[in-house]
Amino acid sequence: MANAFSSDILIQAPDPKSAAAFYVDSLGFEVTGEEENMVSLHGQHINIFIEQGPLLGPVLEVTVDSVEAAKRRLLAKGCIVIKDEPDFPRCYVRDNYGLIYNLISHSRD
């Protein structure tokens, strides 16, 4: 059950550009990428990716061997799926303690 936490934090906001401006102006992040529905920011120790969508709070990115296997293990422990994108593949899961993970895999499930 190998996994790796990255230095990337994902958030969703109705207006990613406005949210990015907040982090740039208030905390000194640098815009490193801008797409239609996402803005990428770089900080000294973390990166923030702001995707257009409803507010979820911070989402930690976790790389796992298999998104589907990790999702099954977490659901069996009482976690809930917040957002599932099997074609990506990625899955947002909230654990019993309120933490949200973006489960991703370098290989296709």
Side-chain angles (χ1 to χ4, degrees):
M1 183 181 350
N3 67 54
F5 283 89
S6 78
S7 59
D8 297 340
I9 296 175
L10 307 156
I11 64 171
Q12 291 188 172
D15 181 356
K17 289 180 184 179
S18 175
F22 169 82
Y23 291 105
V24 169
D25 296 342
S26 302
L27 298 173
F29 279 85
E30 176 186 346
V31 175
T32 56
E34 198 169 319
E35 298 176 22
E36 184 179 339
N37 293 318
M38 181 179 285
V39 178
S40 304
L41 303 175
H42 176 73
Q44 187 173 357
H45 299 289
I46 61 172
N47 301 306
I48 298 177
F49 295 90
I50 307 168
E51 185 176 56
Q52 187 173 23
L55 298 176
L56 292 176
V59 178
L60 301 179
E61 187 168 285
V62 181
T63 302
V64 295
D65 292 332
S66 166
V67 171
E68 284 302 314
K71 180 172 70 171
R72 283 192 302 271
R73 283 193 305 273
L74 290 164
L75 290 175
K77 299 285 185 180
C79 298
I80 59 169
V81 171
I82 302 298
K83 181 179 183 180
D84 196 1
E85 297 177 315
D87 293 336
F88 194 83
R90 72 177 177 178
C91 182
Y92 287 26
V93 176
R94 179 181 293 128
D95 70 20
N96 299 330
Y97 307 99
L99 190 58
I100 299 175
Y101 316 109
N102 173 26
L103 301 173
I104 63 166
S105 174
H106 289 300
S107 62
R108 290 278 189 181
D109 281 335

